[in-house]
PDB file of all heavy atoms in Angstrom:
ATOM      1  N   ALA S  14      -5.665 -13.040  94.232  1.00 34.00           N
ATOM      2  CA  ALA S  14      -4.219 -12.988  94.392  1.00 34.00           C
ATOM      3  C   ALA S  14      -3.605 -12.291  93.201  1.00 34.00           C
ATOM      4  O   ALA S  14      -4.145 -12.284  92.103  1.00 34.00           O
ATOM      5  CB  ALA S  14      -3.652 -14.411  94.508  1.00 34.00           C
ATOM      6  N   GLN S  15      -2.418 -11.700  93.445  1.00 34.00           N
ATOM      7  CA  GLN S  15      -1.750 -10.984  92.371  1.00 34.00           C
ATOM      8  C   GLN S  15      -1.052 -11.998  91.487  1.00 34.00           C
ATOM      9  O   GLN S  15       0.111 -12.323  91.682  1.00 34.00           O
ATOM     10  CB  GLN S  15      -0.748  -9.998  92.969  1.00 34.00           C
ATOM     11  CG  GLN S  15      -1.444  -8.955  93.844  1.00 34.00           C
ATOM     12  CD  GLN S  15      -0.442  -7.997  94.468  1.00 34.00           C
ATOM     13  OE1 GLN S  15       0.635  -7.806  93.928  1.00 34.00           O
ATOM     14  NE2 GLN S  15      -0.789  -7.397  95.574  1.00 34.00           N
ATOM     15  N   GLY S  16      -1.771 -12.510  90.488  1.00 35.00           N
ATOM     16  CA  GLY S  16      -1.257 -13.547  89.606  1.00 35.00           C
ATOM     17  C   GLY S  16      -0.158 -13.034  88.717  1.00 35.00           C
ATOM     18  O   GLY S  16       0.144 -11.854  88.689  1.00 35.00           O
ATOM     19  N   PRO S  17       0.455 -13.912  87.927  1.00 32.00           N
ATOM     20  CA  PRO S  17       1.618 -13.569  87.129  1.00 32.00           C
ATOM     21  C   PRO S  17       1.451 -12.350  86.260  1.00 32.00           C
ATOM     22  O   PRO S  17       2.396 -11.633  86.016  1.00 32.00           O
ATOM     23  CB  PRO S  17       1.852 -14.844  86.297  1.00 32.00           C
ATOM     24  CG  PRO S  17       1.298 -15.939  87.141  1.00 32.00           C
ATOM     25  CD  PRO S  17       0.111 -15.341  87.837  1.00 32.00           C
ATOM     26  N   SER S  18       0.225 -12.090  85.764  1.00 36.00           N
ATOM     27  CA  SER S  18       0.070 -10.930  84.888  1.00 36.00           C
ATOM     28  C   SER S  18      -0.842  -9.881  85.480  1.00 36.00           C
ATOM     29  O   SER S  18      -1.059  -8.848  84.876  1.00 36.00           O
ATOM     30  CB  SER S  18      -0.505 -11.372  83.537  1.00 36.00           C
ATOM     31  OG  SER S  18      -1.793 -11.944  83.723  1.00 36.00           O
ATOM     32  N   GLY S  19      -1.357 -10.101  86.705  1.00 37.00           N
ATOM     33  CA  GLY S  19      -2.355  -9.198  87.272  1.00 37.00           C
ATOM     34  C   GLY S  19      -1.832  -7.793  87.477  1.00 37.00           C
ATOM     35  O   GLY S  19      -2.470  -6.805  87.124  1.00 37.00           O
ATOM     36  N   ARG S  20      -0.626  -7.699  88.085  1.00 35.00           N
ATOM     37  CA  ARG S  20      -0.136  -6.361  88.362  1.00 35.00           C
ATOM     38  C   ARG S  20       0.185  -5.606  87.086  1.00 35.00           C
ATOM     39  O   ARG S  20      -0.052  -4.408  86.955  1.00 35.00           O
ATOM     40  CB  ARG S  20       1.111  -6.449  89.253  1.00 35.00           C
ATOM     41  CG  ARG S  20       1.654  -5.089  89.640  1.00 35.00           C
ATOM     42  CD  ARG S  20       2.748  -5.209  90.671  1.00 35.00           C
ATOM     43  NE  ARG S  20       2.246  -5.877  91.850  1.00 35.00           N
ATOM     44  CZ  ARG S  20       3.039  -6.447  92.754  1.00 35.00           C
ATOM     45  NH1 ARG S  20       4.324  -6.448  92.602  1.00 35.00           N
ATOM     46  NH2 ARG S  20       2.510  -7.047  93.810  1.00 35.00           N
ATOM     47  N   THR S  21       0.734  -6.295  86.117  1.00 36.00           N
ATOM     48  CA  THR S  21       1.057  -5.641  84.850  1.00 36.00           C
ATOM     49  C   THR S  21      -0.188  -5.082  84.192  1.00 36.00           C
ATOM     50  O   THR S  21      -0.197  -3.954  83.689  1.00 36.00           O
ATOM     51  CB  THR S  21       1.731  -6.651  83.894  1.00 36.00           C
ATOM     52  OG1 THR S  21       2.894  -7.155  84.530  1.00 36.00           O
ATOM     53  CG2 THR S  21       2.098  -5.992  82.589  1.00 36.00           C
ATOM     54  N   LEU S  22      -1.273  -5.874  84.203  1.00 34.00           N
ATOM     55  CA  LEU S  22      -2.512  -5.421  83.593  1.00 34.00           C
ATOM     56  C   LEU S  22      -3.089  -4.234  84.323  1.00 34.00           C
ATOM     57  O   LEU S  22      -3.560  -3.274  83.714  1.00 34.00           O
ATOM     58  CB  LEU S  22      -3.531  -6.570  83.571  1.00 34.00           C
ATOM     59  CG  LEU S  22      -3.190  -7.737  82.641  1.00 34.00           C
ATOM     60  CD1 LEU S  22      -4.188  -8.858  82.834  1.00 34.00           C
ATOM     61  CD2 LEU S  22      -3.184  -7.267  81.187  1.00 34.00           C
ATOM     62  N   ASP S 356       5.609 -16.985  94.338  1.00 97.00           N
ATOM     63  CA  ASP S 356       4.992 -16.218  93.251  1.00 97.00           C
ATOM     64  C   ASP S 356       5.786 -14.923  93.028  1.00 97.00           C
ATOM     65  O   ASP S 356       5.884 -14.086  93.924  1.00 97.00           O
ATOM     66  CB  ASP S 356       3.544 -15.885  93.617  1.00 97.00           C
ATOM     67  CG  ASP S 356       2.802 -15.151  92.507  1.00 97.00           C
ATOM     68  OD1 ASP S 356       3.454 -14.652  91.565  1.00 97.00           O
ATOM     69  OD2 ASP S 356       1.559 -15.068  92.595  1.00 97.00           O
ATOM     70  N   PRO S 357       6.382 -14.741  91.865  1.00 96.00           N
ATOM     71  CA  PRO S 357       7.211 -13.555  91.621  1.00 96.00           C
ATOM     72  C   PRO S 357       6.433 -12.253  91.611  1.00 96.00           C
ATOM     73  O   PRO S 357       7.029 -11.171  91.678  1.00 96.00           O
ATOM     74  CB  PRO S 357       7.841 -13.837  90.246  1.00 96.00           C
ATOM     75  CG  PRO S 357       6.884 -14.772  89.577  1.00 96.00           C
ATOM     76  CD  PRO S 357       6.341 -15.635  90.687  1.00 96.00           C
ATOM     77  N   GLU S 358       5.096 -12.317  91.530  1.00 94.00           N
ATOM     78  CA  GLU S 358       4.310 -11.100  91.515  1.00 94.00           C
ATOM     79  C   GLU S 358       4.003 -10.565  92.911  1.00 94.00           C
ATOM     80  O   GLU S 358       3.513  -9.453  93.060  1.00 94.00           O
ATOM     81  CB  GLU S 358       2.985 -11.356  90.748  1.00 94.00           C
ATOM     82  CG  GLU S 358       3.177 -11.608  89.261  1.00 94.00           C
ATOM     83  CD  GLU S 358       3.817 -10.422  88.555  1.00 94.00           C
ATOM     84  OE1 GLU S 358       3.417  -9.277  88.830  1.00 94.00           O
ATOM     85  OE2 GLU S 358       4.729 -10.643  87.741  1.00 94.00           O
ATOM     86  N   LEU S 359       4.280 -11.343  93.929  1.00 96.00           N
ATOM     87  CA  LEU S 359       4.105 -10.847  95.303  1.00 96.00           C
ATOM     88  C   LEU S 359       5.194  -9.836  95.604  1.00 96.00           C
ATOM     89  O   LEU S 359       6.380 -10.092  95.372  1.00 96.00           O
ATOM     90  CB  LEU S 359       4.176 -12.010  96.295  1.00 96.00           C
ATOM     91  CG  LEU S 359       3.016 -13.023  96.234  1.00 96.00           C
ATOM     92  CD1 LEU S 359       3.386 -14.286  97.018  1.00 96.00           C
ATOM     93  CD2 LEU S 359       1.734 -12.409  96.769  1.00 96.00           C
TER      94      LEU S 359
END
Side-chain angles (χ1 to χ4, degrees):
Q15 298 179 25
S18 62
R20 182 172 301 161
T21 302
L22 292 174
D356 183 346
E358 292 299 317
L359 292 166

